[in-house]
Amino acid sequence: MHEHSGDYLVSYVVLAVSFVIESVSLARAARQVRAESRRWRTTPRRYLRLTADTTVKAVFLEDSAALIGLVLAAAGVALSELTGDELYDGIASILIGVLLLVVAVTLALRNLSLLVGRSVPARLRQEIDRELTDLPAVRRVDTLLTMQLGPADILVAAKVDFDDAATGAQIEAAADAAERRLTGRYPEIRYVFLDPTRATARDAHPDPAGPADAGGAPGGTEPD
């Protein structure tokens, strides 16, 4: 039996004040996550899972972990007061340490793909493909590559099959229009490269055993 060596009231006050401060910080982070998820037309949960903005993700997860940790600490103090044994306070501390370790590992795994570059989420890739296909003089997009260069830097490169009658000026105008459309709708897209290509017999009759999706960036994977 280990008796508590401090004042329980002081512990409760400190925990309560900390809980209020962390709640305000988490509320702000949650508001930003909801706003960004609406802009990207997805759910907050999916946005947090796929976003390359490590700052938003870290703040949200750390504030969430802090609130859970404060609840665990309060439970440990309360059980210690009720039983007169500080063992529960120690157990709460261990659980908080495990919680912080889980958050750290989660952030590391989520951000690991950014070290080698990853493609954008599948839904965004489909919208980029649609924007390019809707351009004047464009017949289809043969290959679309995307890469997340940073939290606010996306590269788009595509092989585009233009109409056979398209002139050099029309192709140049289409390339400029592609950049304006994509950067105007998605400010994170900083670089747009179009490579005019010509349809071949293989393009017209693609190999069924060939890759189903050429949109993944080197070293990256397309999210669900």
Side-chain angles (χ1 to χ4, degrees):
M1 182 79 66
H2 304 281
E3 295 182 356
H4 189 66
S5 56
D7 189 342
Y8 286 107
L9 179 60
V10 174
S11 299
Y12 290 132
V13 170
V14 171
L15 290 173
V17 172
S18 300
F19 191 90
V20 171
I21 294 174
E22 292 294 345
S23 296
V24 172
S25 179
L26 179 60
R28 291 178 177 175
R31 189 160 51 246
Q32 182 176 356
V33 168
R34 286 195 296 270
E36 290 295 321
S37 64
R38 285 194 298 269
R39 188 168 71 86
W40 289 99
R41 301 177 184 177
T42 187
T43 64
R45 182 174 178 274
R46 182 178 176 83
Y47 171 78
L48 277 176
R49 184 166 63 89
L50 299 179
T51 182
D53 193 337
T54 56
T55 302
V56 173
K57 187 183 301 184
V59 170
F60 185 88
L61 291 180
E62 288 174 0
D63 286 346
S64 299
L67 288 177
I68 296 174
L70 289 171
V71 172
L72 291 174
V77 172
L79 288 173
S80 295
E81 181 180 12
L82 291 174
T83 62
D85 192 342
E86 285 191 338
L87 174 64
Y88 297 101
D89 200 4
I91 293 176
S93 298
I94 293 174
L95 292 176
I96 292 171
V98 172
L99 175 64
L100 294 177
L101 178 61
V102 170
V103 171
V105 171
T106 300
L107 285 173
L109 292 177
R110 293 299 185 190
N111 298 330
L112 184 61
S113 63
L114 295 177
L115 297 178
V116 294
R118 72 177 187 189
S119 57
V120 300
R123 183 180 302 176
L124 176 57
R125 182 182 177 279
Q126 291 170 0
E127 293 184 5
I128 293 174
D129 186 277
R130 190 180 304 113
E131 289 284 350
L132 295 178
T133 305
D134 290 342
L135 290 170
V138 171
R139 296 177 58 188
R140 69 173 183 270
V141 177
D142 289 334
T143 303
L144 175 60
L145 300 177
T146 62
M147 180 178 291
Q148 191 87 48
L149 301 177
D153 292 288
I154 295 174
L155 179 146
V156 175
K159 279 186 171 294
V160 179
D161 180 18
F162 287 92
D163 291 335
D164 293 337
T167 64
Q170 288 175 323
I171 293 176
E172 183 178 351
D176 291 339
E179 184 171 6
R180 287 195 304 272
R181 283 189 183 187
L182 293 177
T183 57
R185 184 172 180 183
Y186 304 105
E188 290 80 4
I189 296 179
R190 298 296 180 88
Y191 309 99
V192 179
F193 301 101
L194 299 186
D195 180 16
T197 186
R198 180 174 296 177
T200 63
R202 183 176 180 181
D203 293 331
H205 304 283
D207 184 0
D213 185 0
T221 57
E222 284 288 347
D224 295 334

